[in-house]
Amino acid sequence: MHAALASFLHSLPTQPRLLGLGEPMHGEEAFPRLRNRVFQYLVQHEGYRSIAIESDCVAGLMVDDYIAGGAGSLDDVMKRGFSHGFGESAANRELVEWMRDYNRGRPAEDRLRFFGFDAPTEITGAPSPRPVLTTLYDYLAPHVDIDRRPCTFDAIDALIGDDERWTNPDAMMDPSQSVGSSSDVAKLRLITDDLLALLTSESPHLVSATSPTDWRLAHFHGRTAAGLLRYHATMADTSPTRWQRLMSLRDAMMSDNLTAIAANQARQGPTLVFAHNLHLQRHRSDCQMGDQTLEWWSAGAIIDPRIGDHYAFIASALGSAQHHGVDTPSEDTLEGILCTLPEGHYVLDSRRLAAALDAMESEPTRRPDQRTGDGYFFALEPDHLVETDGVIFTKNIASSSA
């Protein structure tokens, strides 16, 4: 696989700053294990120095500190440094161990970095903005006089109030239970905007008094606070587009995080980005929720025009995984055609694959998406194959790999 991956990478018009590697479903260990193999090759042979995965961006700071040699236990890092249950993944644990071992004894400029790039939200709701707003305010306070700040932190603390009202699990399904429509949230959004403006207008002084790294970290927390408050406000929305707006906001936060990673890591080396295909693809994403079809622009679609050739996307495609209920695909689908190839794994150039499909007598159909025991399996869309750069195809995953 490494030779095919190297050939693909060297066929790209330029070395990407962000190389997206998608997976067609969550909950299958074969995909993050494949990611680990790809990442280790990229580090050792292509100069990559960081990885970003679909996990809480704030929690990810804990993982990054640990792999840099920070204190704490691996068990605690896996428990608190990941969201969406990804800390329970054996492959993610192996990734963290490998990165910490790789960094041991290396100078700071050559160490690997870990990033979560997802919004700090779960399907059950979103957290209080208190931690991220506190970090932003605490950064500004020693360097900007109180009369330049929009308010005291006591005023912010009073507006936030009880953290439990932010994390009410009933709010995700019932907009009336959300704190997002309150005047407190409206005031906090304005205050956060003012704090971010202050962070920008005072940046020459702040960077000189602290460091570029500290300033970027403060901006990250402020950006995250603004995104969380926007998300809570949308949770209170009673319109039919509520869920679609929430999906859009999540991927918009993802794209902002990836944009910052691409800019900040440019000197150290490229970043491998690992997430579901739906979050990395260039075309409009969609999924079914009940009787409603949700459509939104993914993080990959948003970031692609921002950095152009510096973003590349390899989609993952799967033939079958019987233990997840993903059966052998029909012969007239893209995955069914790929299953006729003799080997079990392939790295394919999308342009060549699309040309081969065009030469066939009949166009492949899209395989139906289907619910699995762990969520959903989403098939590749043949019509959008040209909007990927490459495809990693796995013919079959046996239950022993889970």
Side-chain angles (χ1 to χ4, degrees):
M1 185 187 74
H2 288 166
L5 180 61
S7 177
F8 163 76
L9 291 172
H10 297 159
S11 73
L12 296 173
T14 186
Q15 185 183 56
R17 295 181 192 171
L18 300 177
L19 175 62
L21 174 61
E23 61 176 350
M25 61 189 294
H26 289 325
E28 169 51 59
E29 285 286 88
F31 294 115
R33 285 204 169 108
L34 174 64
R35 170 210 64 197
N36 289 356
R37 291 167 55 200
V38 169
F39 182 58
Q40 290 172 17
Y41 171 81
L42 294 174
V43 168
Q44 294 166 347
H45 300 280
E46 301 291 341
Y48 281 62
R49 284 298 175 267
S50 56
I51 188 168
I53 77 167
E54 182 188 339
S55 185
D56 182 338
C57 57
V58 178
L61 297 173
M62 180 180 185
V63 184
D64 188 52
D65 179 71
Y66 179 78
I67 67 161
S73 70
L74 177 59
D75 286 343
D76 192 42
V77 168
M78 299 309 299
K79 181 178 180 180
R80 299 195 293 125
F82 292 83
S83 59
H84 314 326
F86 293 155
E88 299 172 8
S89 163
N92 283 341
R93 189 181 186 94
E94 292 161 8
L95 173 69
V96 173
E97 288 180 306
W98 184 83
M99 293 179 72
R100 183 175 168 102
D101 287 343
Y102 183 93
N103 283 342
R104 189 171 288 115
R106 293 180 183 269
E109 62 273 14
D110 193 39
R111 290 176 188 163
L112 303 180
R113 297 289 308 278
F114 177 96
F115 300 97
F117 75 95
D118 201 352
T121 61
E122 292 282 0
I123 191 64
T124 54
S128 164
R130 184 188 305 280
V132 283
L133 269 178
T134 300
T135 300
L136 172 62
Y137 198 93
D138 286 350
Y139 173 80
L140 289 167
H143 308 291
V144 180
D145 293 340
I146 183 63
D147 59 350
R148 300 283 312 284
R149 294 174 240 155
C151 63
T152 65
F153 186 76
D154 286 343
I156 294 175
D157 190 62
L159 289 170
I160 294 173
D162 189 346
D163 284 338
E164 290 185 1
R165 67 178 183 149
W166 297 87
T167 57
N168 177 8
D170 295 332
M172 183 52 77
M173 302 306 297
D174 182 0
S176 68
Q177 298 292 315
S178 173
V179 69
S181 61
S182 70
S183 61
D184 291 346
V185 172
K187 292 175 183 176
L188 283 169
R189 292 181 73 180
L190 288 174
I191 290 170
T192 301
D193 185 66
D194 285 343
L195 290 172
L196 280 168
L198 188 60
L199 187 69
T200 298
S201 63
E202 291 294 311
S203 58
H205 165 60
L206 292 168
V207 170
S208 175
T210 60
S211 72
T213 298
D214 289 342
W215 187 92
R216 287 194 296 265
L217 189 59
H219 189 271
F220 160 75
H221 282 91
R223 188 177 72 240
T224 303
L228 272 178
L229 289 165
R230 194 179 302 119
Y231 195 89
H232 277 289
T234 305
M235 285 177 66
D237 180 19
T238 58
S239 75
T241 63
R242 175 178 181 264
W243 275 103
Q244 188 160 298
R245 290 181 62 204
L246 289 171
M247 299 291 279
S248 297
L249 289 175
R250 179 188 173 194
D251 272 73
M253 291 180 72
M254 285 182 171
S255 69
D256 286 342
N257 286 331
L258 289 177
T259 300
I261 291 169
N264 298 337
Q265 289 298 110
R267 292 184 179 180
Q268 287 188 283
T271 300
L272 177 67
V273 182
F274 182 73
H276 200 288
N277 286 335
L278 290 182
H279 294 301
L280 298 180
Q281 62 195 22
R282 291 185 174 95
H283 61 278
R284 198 163 172 82
S285 298
D286 66 83
C287 73
Q288 198 70 25
M289 180 170 286
D291 58 357
Q292 185 179 13
T293 300
L294 306 181
E295 295 185 351
W296 72 99
W297 290 109
S298 74
I302 296 170
I303 200 169
D304 183 66
R306 290 182 181 177
I307 63 175
D309 288 343
H310 290 291
Y311 176 65
F313 169 48
I314 304 175
S316 286
L318 171 65
S320 62
Q322 299 290 340
H323 56 295
H324 289 294
V326 180
D327 297 325
T328 301
S330 171
E331 294 180 357
D332 62 350
T333 64
L334 172 59
E335 289 86 354
I337 293 169
L338 293 176
C339 278
T340 63
L341 297 172
E343 304 297 330
H345 295 276
Y346 287 89
V347 180
L348 304 165
D349 183 298
S350 294
R351 293 168 299 177
R352 294 181 179 179
L353 177 57
L357 294 174
D358 287 342
M360 297 178 65
E361 292 184 1
S362 58
E363 295 183 0
T365 61
R366 179 179 175 177
R367 184 181 186 181
D369 299 332
Q370 62 188 86
R371 186 170 184 83
T372 70
D374 302 292
Y376 281 91
F377 163 77
F378 293 88
L380 282 189
E381 300 180 48
D383 291 344
H384 294 293
L385 183 62
V386 293
E387 296 175 15
T388 68
D389 297 290
V391 174
I392 290 186
F393 176 66
T394 300
K395 183 180 293 189
N396 176 65
I397 297 174
S399 60
S400 60
S401 65

